[in-house]
Amino acid sequence: MSTIDGKVPAGPIKDKWTTYKDKVNLVNPANKRNIDIIVVGTGLAGGSAAATLAEQGYNVKAFCYQDSPRRAHSIAAQGGINAAKNYQGDGDSTYRLFYDTVKGGDYRSREANVHRLAEVSTNIIDQCVAQGVPFARDYGGLLDNRSFGGVLVSRTFYAKGQTGQQLLLGAYSAMNRQIARGKIQMFNRHEMLDLVIVDGKARGIIARNLVTGEIERHSAHAVVLGTGGYGNVFFLSTNAMGSNTTAAWKTHKRGAYFANPCYTQIHPTCIPRSGDYQSKLTLMSESLRNDGRIWVPGRKEDVEAIRSGKLKPTEIAEENRDYYLERRYPAFGNLVPRDVASRAAKERCDAGFGVNATGEAVYLDFAAAIVRYGKEQALLKGENNATDARIKELGKEIVKAKYGNLFDMYKQITADNPYQTPMMIYPAVHYTMGGLWVDYNLMTSVQGCYAIGEANFSDHGANRLGASALMQGLADGYFVLPYTIGDYLSNDIRTGKISTDTPEFAEAEENVKQRLESLVGNNGTKSVDYYHKKLGNIMWNKCGMSRNEQGLKEAIAEIAELRDDFYKNVSVPGGAYELNQELEKAGRVADFLELGELFAKDALDRNESCGGHFREESVEVGGPQDGEALRDDENYAYVSAWEYKGKPSDAVLHKEELTFNDIKLTQRSYK
Amino acid sequence: MNLTLKIWRQKSANDKGKMVDYKVAGISEHMSFLEMMDVLNEQLINSGEEPVSFDHDCREGICGSCSMFINGEAHGPVKGTTTCQLHMRSFNDGDTIYIEPFRAKAFPVIKDLVVNRSSFDRIQHSGGFISVNTSGNTQDANATPIPKHDADLAMDAAACIGCGACVATCKNSSAMLFVGAKVSQYALLPQGQVEAKERAQNMVAQMDAEGFGNCTNTGACEVECPKGISLSNIARMNREFLSGAIK
């Protein structure tokens, strides 16, 4: 074990980034034309990075596995993007966004990175508006805000329930401008399958053309990964079906440390599972918690009656409902951070109060909001004697304007009408705070290889606040990486074109081909999904919302065993050099089968509860915080950075000690 | 429920392709259409056959990847819905379901139900952007108020997911709803005004070059659009195009 250095600049926290930018090495415009950069992934991080680097003059090669960069999974983000604009005059500031993010992350993020994120957050909104992103506006024509979990201000900008889509289309439009100029060469339907390192520096990738199956060599002076998170290790998650860890994992195997793999965000408001055939889970935006109240019946007999269909939720009297978040956390109520809300839902369901047939669902109820908005509207319209029915009608219009598309989506999936009956929700895997370890420059432990957005680990600690993923993706891509990568590339201006005709490229290509051929030639009997579902079960049951030593040890053994079985018995029809979706899946699941084990190993090492990582061995006993997660700052205030050594069980732990000079570490209380 | 599926199978772009019959049993009404396809593919893999290739990703109706023509309708029988959000409760036990790729000259089939929609990307390259660099030094986001009505209309146009249902549905394989939506989003915002004239000209020219047909106002695109993009966007594009043509 050794300690590693995050290369955080010296000086007061509020000056670090400004001073860094003032002193950083630049590449002159004529030299940028001679430098190539590969960007893998075209979500908010990769897309914004590709566009900005190309604007600056670098030659960018961008890769995505989808048929168009516009379809990257950032598109599914619903609720919004945070920025410390303080347009509402409600006390927001750069410091407060910084503080909220560090606290929300349960003091396991790198202070300097988070402060930089808060600083550039306001630029993001300016930039996006200039690009034509249609954010929601009020009647005065100014930008509207809403509030998200874990904060006391309204700093979230949004575009209906499609904020991720609109921000991504903004980045995509910026890419389009550069594709038209020839500054971005776009490779759709391509998947990165290995990183190529020459003389200790990342110099290219091996990619598979998913249409022809052809294996291609691509070289560059630097490689940027904006390849997202690994939530699909759980099989069921809110990620897209294709979201995967392969690019990040291959990079890890080539020497990049993997940081905090056990930090996973389980989002509290998703549509519950309905059967074994289920292929993915759908999120209902956290913004719904602005107006929805979460509850379960307070009496067991009501739970029974609801499950057997004898009672409707609307028939349960107010006094027999348990608004458990409002009860346990009066200060933040329904807007506690995601990890807290998820565990509270699990606690009620484990205690037998879950409201659907599986026992794994709680209510999210808009009845009170509908009446509250209805009364306000009646007053505004001068309808002083409005009936209850009229008030509800008026209230529903407002709720529809705010959350209409989410309500429609819920109705489409469940066939229930949430305007009339409360929604049923349950936590689901949503986001992974862990990822490739990066320093302050966003460079991984491989020289010249960068990781941005969800693919890295740096900004969200052990728990991410709502509407901060979009902020981080765009901050990294538009405003941080373009500075930091220039500093590195300023040493590369005399290097010249990188050849792909070298032993390093040949070795990596051979490696990829062998693996693909062995998968299609396996002649096994079980489908890829069979293994993926098995892995997901182990992960959810033993590495999910609540973890303990015994379960984690079992998970490590079971995943290793499952992986062996996979290589013996998986069946992948079709050939390696053609469009073959089963082969794509097989490669991704094979990597998840390794990552899952490292995940459990990391969770076992961290014998404390922090953010999304809850260890049953580490809880508060007695006092006002009884039963809440107990952090252990004395022993665990570090980033775990794992080095690959041949197999996940041999991975070596390196530590980056976290120091907090500007924020005092306290018990994270939302009571 | 038990179903008969008649599915377009085509090994590659150059293969002729044909409809093939399959049976699936034990389908739950709560399954999504794509989960039903997963059941079929699992069945095919277990019997050593090649599964049906189809595009899909987010499975929550926003990425625009999924693209099937189901019983003669883009994204199937339910209005305002992508295939991934279509549920089997919209079908009955014993039904025969026809599943084909989106068909248009500008969307060539790659394999089975997978088509190539990169023509949409190329239209966007020709003008689907506002020329502003990422400096971080643009004016403050609230410096130019935008009437809520305009901002809302721009958002409605921007909601297009680029799936191509409009093209697949149109008897002329026209992409005017898609292009109209993009032109409209920018035409409705002050930031888009500077390049408005060239944008409409360039995007329409590229649309024609890709081999999409013209609009004859039948309105089928609007009916089948999973995001409810309005025909008025086509009218707005025509206006932008015409006013751009007059120097």
Side-chain angles (χ1 to χ4, degrees):
Chain A
M1 201 181 307
S2 66
T3 54
I4 43 176
D5 177 12
K7 297 193 182 140
V8 174
I13 196 155
K14 63 177 177 33
D15 299 335
K16 284 180 197 288
W17 179 233
T18 311
T19 313
Y20 178 99
K21 286 193 291 182
D22 288 346
K23 306 247 169 89
V24 75
N25 291 309
L26 302 176
V27 180
N28 96 34
N31 284 329
K32 283 188 183 126
R33 288 196 284 272
N34 299 323
I35 291 181
D36 304 327
I37 301 175
I38 284 174
V39 179
V40 186
T42 59
L44 289 186
S48 59
T52 306
L53 294 170
E55 281 167 14
Q56 294 187 345
Y58 296 107
N59 307 310
V60 175
K61 286 178 160 187
F63 294 79
C64 69
Y65 73 77
Q66 298 87 349
D67 72 333
S68 165
R70 65 174 293 157
R71 306 204 200 282
H73 198 53
S74 303
I75 203 156
Q78 298 168 352
I81 178 165
N82 289 329
K85 277 287 195 187
N86 194 27
Y87 282 158
Q88 305 302 325
D90 56 0
D92 202 5
S93 64
T94 299
Y95 183 83
R96 196 172 282 275
L97 174 54
F98 158 66
Y99 174 83
D100 286 345
T101 308
V102 172
K103 178 188 174 195
D106 219 356
Y107 308 95
R108 289 293 175 265
S109 47
R110 191 189 286 143
E111 221 182 35
N113 285 51
V114 180
H115 199 277
R116 176 175 66 189
L117 175 66
E119 285 173 58
V120 302
S121 68
T122 53
N123 293 132
I124 298 173
I125 304 304
D126 299 342
Q127 185 68 34
C128 291
V129 167
Q131 283 173 345
V133 170
F135 283 120
R137 291 178 181 268
D138 60 23
Y139 285 97
L142 302 180
L143 294 162
D144 195 18
N145 290 114
R146 56 191 176 199
S147 194
F148 261 54
V151 303
L152 298 168
V153 294
S154 280
R155 63 161 73 100
T156 306
F157 294 80
Y158 66 101
K160 278 200 175 165
Q162 288 130 281
T163 316
Q165 180 197 30
Q166 292 311 316
L167 295 174
L168 182 59
L169 292 180
Y172 168 68
S173 72
M175 282 181 82
N176 285 333
R177 180 167 159 242
Q178 300 307 321
I179 294 172
R181 292 176 63 214
K183 290 307 290 183
I184 296 179
Q185 214 185 334
M186 187 65 225
F187 296 87
N188 298 337
R189 293 195 197 263
H190 274 66
E191 180 165 22
M192 167 179 164
L193 293 180
D194 209 349
L195 178 75
V196 182
I197 298 176
V198 181
D199 296 335
K201 291 177 174 171
R203 291 301 197 191
I205 63 168
I206 303 295
R208 180 166 178 265
N209 178 329
L210 299 180
V211 175
T212 62
E214 203 178 328
I215 304 302
E216 301 171 352
R217 301 178 185 186
H218 294 275
S219 68
H221 296 83
V223 175
V224 179
L225 302 183
T227 52
Y230 48 87
N232 270 348
V233 68
F234 286 83
F235 182 68
L236 282 181
S237 80
T238 64
N239 286 187
M241 301 301 287
S243 301
N244 68 82
T245 190
T246 291
W249 192 253
K250 299 298 190 204
T251 302
H252 171 56
K253 290 173 93 163
R254 291 279 178 191
Y257 296 171
F258 208 104
N260 301 332
C262 80
Y263 290 164
T264 311
Q265 178 157 85
I266 316 264
H267 197 291
T269 52
C270 298
I271 299 178
R273 221 162 62 89
S274 66
D276 287 336
Y277 50 80
Q278 193 125 2
S279 58
K280 78 155 274 158
L281 295 168
T282 304
L283 177 81
M284 289 280 102
S285 168
E286 176 159 316
S287 60
L288 293 170
R289 286 200 276 145
N290 272 288
D291 284 312
R293 297 178 73 196
I294 295 177
W295 63 279
V296 291
R299 304 186 306 182
K300 277 271 168 66
E301 60 261 38
D302 289 343
V303 174
E304 300 300 328
I306 280 191
R307 287 188 190 172
S308 61
K310 287 179 197 142
L311 196 64
K312 287 184 189 156
T314 44
E315 292 164 354
I316 296 180
E318 214 39 48
E319 62 271 23
N320 293 327
R321 298 176 178 196
D322 176 13
Y323 295 92
Y324 58 86
L325 288 177
E326 297 170 27
R327 166 169 63 79
R328 288 178 63 180
Y329 308 100
F332 281 69
N334 293 296
L335 281 175
V336 291
R338 293 174 173 178
D339 55 334
V340 177
S342 290
R343 273 198 298 280
K346 178 176 159 55
E347 187 277 328
R348 281 294 81 193
C349 291
D350 287 353
F353 291 92
V355 291
N356 72 355
T358 61
E360 291 191 335
V362 299
Y363 289 127
L364 177 63
D365 198 335
F366 292 85
I370 288 172
V371 171
R372 189 177 76 242
Y373 285 125
K375 282 184 177 161
E376 187 182 293
Q377 284 302 305
L379 266 180
L380 285 171
K381 289 180 192 292
E383 297 180 24
N384 295 329
N385 300 318
T387 59
D388 284 357
R390 174 66 182 153
I391 285 173
K392 276 189 188 168
E393 185 191 330
L394 290 167
K396 276 178 192 169
E397 278 171 25
I398 299 295
V399 168
K400 188 172 183 188
K402 285 185 163 229
Y403 312 111
N405 68 317
L406 298 170
F407 277 46
D408 291 347
M409 192 160 146
Y410 182 84
K411 196 175 169 190
Q412 231 162 32
I413 294 173
T414 64
D416 271 349
N417 181 352
Y419 292 102
Q420 279 155 15
T421 181
M423 286 184 181
M424 282 199 277
I425 53 162
Y426 197 68
V429 174
H430 178 55
Y431 185 91
T432 49
M433 284 74 69
L436 290 173
W437 182 86
V438 291
D439 62 16
Y440 187 75
N441 301 303
L442 304 180
M443 197 195 286
T444 66
S445 21
V446 173
Q447 284 281 304
C449 177
Y450 292 79
I452 55 177
E454 191 179 353
N456 76 26
F457 85 101
S458 71
D459 294 1
H460 306 297
N463 174 57
R464 180 176 64 72
L465 290 180
S468 284
L470 304 185
M471 172 173 68
Q472 187 219 342
L474 290 181
D476 285 359
Y478 281 141
F479 299 117
V480 179
L481 180 80
Y483 280 98
T484 63
I485 204 169
D487 188 44
Y488 171 77
L489 291 170
S490 64
N491 295 313
D492 242 347
I493 51 174
R494 289 178 196 85
T495 309
K497 199 94 189 147
I498 308 288
S499 166
T500 56
D501 197 14
T502 59
E504 291 86 355
F505 273 95
E507 182 268 331
E509 181 183 319
E510 194 46 38
N511 189 22
V512 165
K513 283 184 168 166
Q514 269 182 16
R515 179 180 155 99
L516 293 170
E517 284 164 18
S518 79
L519 281 170
V520 291
N522 202 42
N523 291 324
T525 52
K526 297 187 179 103
S527 70
V528 175
D529 278 354
Y530 166 88
Y531 290 99
H532 199 179
K533 283 180 183 175
K534 285 224 152 190
L535 173 64
N537 262 326
I538 300 171
M539 295 300 296
W540 183 246
N541 292 327
K542 294 178 175 165
C543 312
M545 270 187 280
S546 174
R547 303 156 178 181
N548 61 52
E549 185 182 342
Q550 196 201 336
L552 291 166
K553 285 183 172 163
E554 286 167 10
I556 290 171
E558 288 169 23
I559 294 168
E561 203 179 311
L562 187 66
R563 193 169 59 235
D564 288 343
D565 191 64
F566 172 87
Y567 283 109
K568 280 189 202 123
N569 296 315
V570 74
S571 156
V572 182
Y577 305 110
E578 60 184 32
L579 192 156
N580 186 339
Q581 295 178 327
E582 280 300 301
L583 179 59
E584 293 166 27
K585 265 201 289 193
R588 294 165 190 165
V589 171
D591 292 329
F592 281 134
L593 282 163
E594 293 182 6
L595 169 90
E597 188 180 334
L598 184 67
F599 185 126
K601 188 176 161 115
D602 182 48
L604 183 64
D605 168 72
R606 191 168 286 279
N607 190 13
E608 65 158 347
S609 295
C610 59
H613 171 64
F614 185 77
R615 278 290 294 265
E616 290 161 17
E617 295 91 339
S618 187
V619 291
E620 296 273 357
V621 180
Q625 302 286 340
D626 187 45
E628 296 291 322
L630 177 65
R631 221 175 52 231
D632 178 356
D633 293 328
E634 207 172 307
N635 295 305
Y636 293 99
Y638 61 78
V639 175
S640 324
W642 296 92
E643 183 183 1
Y644 186 78
K645 289 283 186 188
K647 46 181 200 281
S649 54
D650 296 339
V652 173
L653 176 65
H654 302 274
K655 292 179 180 177
E656 180 194 341
E657 297 296 338
L658 292 170
T659 48
F660 294 88
N661 300 318
D662 289 77
I663 286 182
K664 196 169 149 271
L665 275 72
T666 54
Q667 150 79 295
R668 201 169 54 126
S669 171
Y670 292 94
K671 286 194 182 278
Chain B
M1 55 180 99
N2 300 325
L3 302 165
T4 304
L5 307 173
K6 289 179 178 289
I7 302 178
W8 183 259
R9 300 302 306 258
Q10 183 174 339
K11 247 196 125 26
S12 65
N14 302 322
D15 183 38
K16 198 159 167 250
K18 60 171 191 239
M19 298 298 282
V20 179
D21 289 9
Y22 299 98
K23 300 253 184 231
V24 285
I27 299 298
S28 153
E29 59 169 16
H30 297 299
M31 282 183 188
S32 71
F33 196 85
L34 297 185
E35 284 165 352
M36 183 277 293
M37 292 295 292
D38 292 342
V39 170
L40 169 70
N41 276 346
E42 183 85 14
Q43 196 174 299
L44 291 173
I45 293 164
N46 289 336
S47 61
E49 288 176 64
E50 254 203 76
V52 180
S53 296
F54 58 91
D55 270 326
H56 65 108
D57 204 21
C58 78
R59 295 204 177 187
E60 47 188 280
I62 192 77
C63 75
S65 294
C66 60
S67 59
M68 296 173 192
F69 218 62
I70 301 164
N71 284 345
E73 282 185 272
H75 297 299
V78 179
K79 300 296 163 234
T81 304
T82 53
T83 298
C84 63
Q85 295 291 61
L86 174 66
H87 282 71
M88 297 312 292
R89 66 180 84 93
S90 300
F91 299 88
N92 298 312
D93 187 33
D95 276 2
T96 297
I97 306 174
Y98 288 79
I99 308 168
E100 294 168 86
F102 278 4
R103 291 191 193 277
K105 185 178 159 203
F107 288 172
V109 173
I110 295 173
K111 183 177 183 178
D112 295 340
L113 305 172
V114 178
V115 300
N116 184 348
R117 287 170 286 192
S118 51
S119 46
F120 268 13
D121 280 331
R122 288 188 295 272
I123 294 174
Q124 304 266 42
H125 302 161
S126 72
F129 49 79
I130 289 170
S131 298
V132 52
N133 272 1
T134 315
S135 61
N137 298 322
T138 51
Q139 63 175 9
D140 183 84
N142 259 348
T144 309
I146 301 175
K148 181 171 165 52
H149 179 71
D150 291 349
D152 287 351
L153 279 179
M155 176 63 222
D156 289 346
C160 165
I161 57 175
C163 66
C166 46
V167 173
T169 295
C170 177
K171 64 188 168 80
N172 307 323
S173 297
S174 168
M176 285 181 76
L177 193 66
F178 170 78
V179 183
K182 206 67 213 169
V183 167
S184 288
Q185 177 195 342
Y186 293 131
L188 284 157
L189 296 171
Q191 289 83 2
Q193 293 308 319
V194 179
E195 299 163 286
K197 289 189 174 182
E198 296 82 1
R199 180 178 301 113
Q201 298 297 316
N202 293 341
M203 291 182 79
V204 168
Q206 187 63 35
M207 176 181 85
D208 291 344
E210 294 290 346
F212 290 103
N214 277 316
C215 175
T216 47
N217 290 314
T218 45
C221 52
E222 183 186 60
V223 176
E224 293 296 339
C225 174
K227 295 293 150 184
I229 304 295
S230 160
L231 270 186
S232 58
N233 290 303
I234 297 183
R236 192 176 293 105
M237 175 178 71
N238 287 337
R239 207 153 55 231
E240 291 290 319
F241 180 80
L242 273 178
S243 65
I246 303 163
K247 297 277 178 210

